[in-house]
Amino acid sequence: MGMHLLLFCLKPIVVLLVLLVAGLAQAGTMDRAAMEKAFPPPLIVGEKDRDLPVWPIFKQSATSTPVVAYAFESIDLAAIPGFSGTPFNLLVALDTDGKFMDVRVLSQHEPVFLDGLGEKPLFKFVEQYTQLSVKQSIKIGSNQSGADKATSANVYIDGVAKATASVRILNQSLLAASLKVARAKMGYGAGKDPDLIARIRPDVFNAMDWDGLLGAGLLTRHVFRNSDIEKAFQGTAGEGLDAEAPAAPQQSFQELYFAYLDVPSVGRNLLSAADWQYLQTRLDPGDHALLMVGKGRYPVLGENFMRGTVPDRLTLTQQGLPLELRDLDLDARLRLPESMAGAQVSVFRVIAPAGLDPAAPLDFALLVTRSKGQIYPEVVRQPLVFRAELPGRYVEAAATDAKTWRSSWTGRWPEVGLLLFGLGVLAWALRKPEWLGASQRRLEVFRTGYLLFTLVFIGWHAQGQLSVVNFVAVIQAVLAHQSLVFFLYDPMTVLLWAFAAVTFFVWGRGTFCGWLCPFGALQELVSKLTLRLGIRQLRVSTQLDARLKWLKYFILAGILLSACVSVTWSDRLVEVEPFKTSITLNFVRAWPFVLWAVFTVGLSAFFYKGYCRYLCPLGAGMALLGRLRRFDWIKRRVECGQPCQRCRSDCAYQAIDKAGKVDYGECFQCMDCVVIYESDELCVPVFNGKRKAAQQLVIPIVPLTAIAGDTA
């Protein structure tokens, strides 16, 4: 009956895989056919760039075919997670002048646009980017009147009510991705990759006061005098409109001080210890807090400025590219000298995706507006520009081969620390299997607790699910002659693979598959639950079990072969793994993927970890790597298999043969056999030996002389 039920359950696999492939083809990344449909003639889609995921768009013009735009998907360049944990994916066409020729939403998982407002407001919002340029400072307006927009140094677009945060995330994704393409393809920002930027050194600190900061170059001072303003407006309709300027040409119009507040020697000297710590909580890894102190008759922030928004009068560019300044709304008191009493203090944030390089100069512009006339005034605006630069000793140059992977580790240090602690606990527990298997209760409590840690923390929280995609990525990177440094961006993956690599030599594949695989933990916990509910696990025959275990190796071979010949097909075939659906996306996906994940999890309710044993390509790879094992760490007795079959009959994985030998390639290190071995009651040879010893009758030998003496 078990064999027939298993075959019945396996029958829909082919159907489900076909649905998965079909669903992936429709919802996956843009291929050439999709690009040609999006950009029909007279436009011509070129070959996708191997180094940067960008498609050049050509247009026939007389006898030449020039590049008129670059098309790309935002998720390939700036995968900034939304509220659902999944990034927006936008199709963007950027012309050679840096203007947005087209912006479309390919996929999004924002709850407010799925179950609330619907997608129509989102599509309308995205339409506003057409014909805007990455050279402009594109901002999402907040209660801005038409007059304010007309005199603003920024380009404002309308937001979406009740979805402010979501559209800001979209805006960040779009601009961050577009700036990367502009840098690489159009020479903006000297062609520098925004990932290859310097970092502020957190370990450099010198105690100093305001004058000391000025002397060290950490504070940049610039004074605009009345004569400078008159010179800026000379020859325009705004000339001569300021009555104070001719009377006192050398008087200060605006005195500005700038500093990186996130530099320890600045922030720790100007802020209290509590405010400095609070500032750290307000900044994400790679963000910058920029301090601007102004004293004069023309404030940096206008009268209509609102906290938490973008300033209208102040703009920032670096190497020709605009960077968004947004008020940090930092409620902290700075230690300013008496000479700066009454000065206007502002702290702005520049987010990490903007790519601000603290080792390069910053160019600020203070926009001064004058109007002539009463009814229909003629508005004239002139920027007052100044430059600021951070001294080199306070920054750390970027490593050209590692990009920003270090920030991925430092930004996730609590998760890295907890994972290392968990791996240490597991190694400590497995160092002596006889200790962990000394009692069935001890093993049950420890194993269930650790499986919950693996599923909830490693899987669902830290997203540390290893995958056959890792094998595919290595193959494709080697074939493309690319570095494998991209793995370093995910510390969870690196640490788990490093730990698994060590355990291959000691215990084999069972340590990862049995203890550290989140999807495997999910299956085992489901099996434990169904057993408590009285659902009996089914067992296939030894012959069928051996044949079914070969399936995962064929699946692995097919995936690895496809990785060598077709990226598209390898992307489709790896979906045989339900890990992305069940662990990464928490079952929030198209229904074919969800159905497949539910099926594989449900299979374990009847066949103990059936997916792991028969279908998992990652498990197949782990089994092959597990052949590096140098020790037979599971103890055996001479009676094991001949005649005792207790461990073999109890092994849910059917990893022990009739002769009592353990197949470490199929062992998931559940340690049930270790419990049996260590138990006087469960191990049949030990139990029988003690019972025979207890049944033996011991007859004392009494000397005859003693008997004779008693008779006398």
Side-chain angles (χ1 to χ4, degrees), residues 463-498:
Q463 299 288 283
Q465 173 71 67
L466 300 189
S467 168
V468 72
V469 174
N470 302 143
F471 294 147
V472 172
V474 170
I475 292 175
Q476 293 177 349
V478 171
L479 293 177
H481 305 288
Q482 294 178 347
S483 170
L484 298 179
V485 73
F486 60 88
F487 277 113
L488 294 176
Y489 281 90
D490 187 357
M492 299 296 118
T493 297
V494 173
L495 292 176
L496 286 170
W497 271 114

Side-chain angles (χ1 to χ4, degrees), residues 472 475 479 554-567 569-570 573:
V472 172
I475 292 175
L479 293 177
F554 287 113
I555 295 173
L556 175 64
I559 292 174
L560 298 184
L561 180 62
S562 70
C564 299
V565 297
S566 173
V567 174
W569 272 103
S570 64
L573 291 177

Side-chain angles (χ1 to χ4, degrees), residues 129-404:
Y129 287 98
T130 304
Q131 296 307 311
L132 297 182
S133 172
V134 293
K135 296 179 182 179
Q136 297 173 295
S137 296
I138 303 174
K139 318 298 179 187
I140 299 174
S142 177
N143 297 324
Q144 297 284 338
S145 67
D148 290 333
K149 292 181 182 179
T151 59
S152 173
N154 306 295
V155 178
Y156 286 91
I157 58 178
D158 295 329
V160 179
K162 299 182 181 180
T164 303
S166 292
V167 295
R168 284 184 178 176
I169 293 172
L170 184 149
N171 186 59
Q172 292 178 12
S173 303
L174 173 63
L175 296 182
S178 300
L179 288 174
K180 288 188 177 184
V181 175
R183 284 180 167 96
K185 296 298 183 182
M186 304 172 198
Y188 292 2
K192 181 181 291 185
D193 186 333
D195 290 334
L196 292 177
I197 58 178
R199 300 290 181 227
I200 289 176
R201 294 182 58 180
D203 57 330
V204 177
F205 172 75
N206 300 107
M208 59 186 81
D209 58 11
W210 183 266
D211 292 334
L213 293 174
L214 278 170
L218 291 170
L219 266 175
T220 300
R221 177 178 181 265
H222 196 96
V223 178
F224 294 104
R225 306 189 185 280
N226 288 332
S227 58
D228 299 325
I229 308 307
E230 286 303 302
K231 184 178 179 180
F233 281 97
Q234 187 175 2
T236 70
E239 183 179 2
L241 296 180
D242 186 357
E244 296 183 31
Q250 295 305 311
Q251 184 177 338
S252 173
F253 177 78
Q254 182 60 261
E255 181 180 359
L256 292 176
Y257 294 85
F258 165 78
Y260 282 87
L261 193 59
D262 50 322
V263 171
S265 292
V266 177
R268 290 174 59 185
N269 283 309
L270 295 183
L271 296 171
S272 66
D275 287 338
W276 170 253
Q277 293 299 325
Y278 176 65
L279 176 64
Q280 308 310 305
T281 65
R282 295 290 305 277
L283 299 176
D284 294 329
D287 288 359
H288 292 282
L290 307 184
L291 171 67
M292 190 69 68
V293 181
K295 186 177 182 181
R297 61 190 183 94
Y298 188 80
V300 173
L301 304 179
E303 296 178 356
N304 297 325
F305 176 76
M306 298 181 61
R307 300 291 296 270
T309 63
V310 177
D312 287 339
R313 294 181 176 180
L314 187 68
T315 62
L316 170 63
T317 59
Q318 186 176 57
Q319 298 175 320
L321 283 177
L323 301 175
E324 179 182 273
L325 291 169
R326 183 171 292 276
D327 179 50
L328 192 57
D329 195 9
L330 186 68
D331 188 13
R333 180 172 296 180
L334 272 69
R335 301 188 184 104
L336 300 179
E338 293 183 2
S339 61
M340 297 304 296
Q344 186 181 49
V345 178
S346 304
V347 180
F348 302 101
R349 172 165 53 191
V350 177
I351 62 172
L356 186 151
D357 189 345
L362 299 179
D363 294 308
F364 292 92
L366 179 63
L367 191 68
V368 180
T369 303
R370 289 182 178 180
S371 60
K372 184 177 183 179
Q374 296 295 328
I375 300 177
Y376 296 105
E378 183 178 355
V379 178
V380 182
R381 291 170 292 176
Q382 291 296 329
L384 304 179
V385 299
F386 65 97
R387 172 168 286 195
E389 190 167 2
L390 184 64
R393 66 183 298 261
Y394 296 98
V395 296
E396 178 183 3
T400 56
D401 60 340
K403 294 193 176 182
T404 60

